[in-house]
Amino acid sequence: MQNRLSISVRLIAAAAVLVFFGLVWLYTREFPVFSNTIGVRALVMVSCVAGALTGAAFVYALRQRLTPWDRHWPEVGVMLAFPVIFAPLFGSMINRAGGAREHQSFEFISEQPYISSNYGLLKGEKIKPTGYRLYVRESGRVLKFQYKSQAYYPLTRPGEAVLLPVRKGVLGFRVMELR
């Protein structure tokens, strides 16, 4: 009986590790979306508060199982920390899950190429941009977006209007969808 129990506990632990690595992988895939979300700070803050409330609800629901408290601090810490850490991921994914895609007008400021290299540039290496940063203005507020595929506005002058594909999410946060 003891051997069967330890096997099932190990399988659960292995599955938890795989889920954790899967969530980290999803988080890294979501970073470009965060950089193109208008109002990302508010989205992250609202998501973290929702995560904290969810973690507190888990602890409250399991309060009888977690007594005596002094023996269960690691479990309580995990139940409070993980929802807060992963809440922005789920908030962003929920926001993008629905909503209408439309083209919205912005005032163009500039489009600048950037170079990103993990190990630096090698001597004699031909330098080419790895992505572009687009600066636009909306209602007096400067917004910065990033994308990697190509320069979309090489001939546009500052002050001209540009149309960008924007998806208004379920939670009300807009995401610019240039890749």
Side-chain angles (χ1 to χ4, degrees):
M1 182 67 182
Q2 182 67 20
N3 194 21
R4 284 181 101 194
L5 181 63
S6 67
I7 290 174
S8 66
V9 169
R10 288 180 184 163
L11 286 175
I12 291 171
V17 168
L18 288 175
V19 166
F20 176 74
F21 282 121
L23 287 173
V24 170
W25 178 76
L26 281 173
Y27 228 135
T28 59
R29 305 272 302 168
E30 199 72 15
F31 285 145
V33 176
F34 285 137
S35 67
N36 288 338
T37 301
I38 301 171
V40 70
R41 286 187 184 123
L43 174 65
V44 168
M45 292 305 294
V46 167
S47 298
C48 286
V49 168
L53 293 175
T54 302
F58 277 129
V59 170
Y60 182 77
L62 298 173
R63 68 186 180 280
Q64 303 231 321
R65 188 179 185 296
L66 296 172
T67 54
W69 285 97
D70 59 339
R71 294 185 62 198
H72 295 283
W73 282 117
E75 293 96 338
V76 170
V78 166
M79 283 191 274
L80 292 175
F82 274 173
V84 173
I85 291 169
F86 289 104
L89 169 67
F90 294 121
S92 178
M93 292 173 78
I94 290 169
N95 184 54
R96 287 186 303 120
R101 184 177 186 211
E102 56 189 34
H103 283 78
Q104 186 174 345
S105 178
F106 294 92
E107 180 186 341
F108 180 81
I109 297 175
S110 70
E111 181 179 50
Q112 301 171 352
Y114 69 90
I115 298 171
S116 175
S117 176
N118 293 336
Y119 304 107
L121 298 173
L122 300 174
K123 185 176 181 180
E125 179 181 6
K126 185 177 179 183
I127 298 173
K128 65 178 191 172
T130 54
Y132 299 89
R133 289 190 179 99
L134 176 66
Y135 295 91
V136 296
R137 184 173 290 126
E138 178 188 45
S139 304
R141 190 173 74 171
V142 175
L143 303 171
K144 178 178 86 169
F145 302 118
Q146 284 187 199
Y147 44 88
K148 295 193 179 270
S149 61
Q150 67 183 38
Y152 285 99
Y153 304 102
L155 302 177
T156 308
R157 292 193 176 104
E160 291 183 16
V162 293
L163 288 176
L164 296 176
V166 175
R167 178 178 301 273
K168 182 165 183 175
V170 173
L171 301 177
F173 297 97
R174 296 174 294 157
V175 179
M176 194 277 299
E177 293 189 324
L178 288 179
R179 300 260 178 229

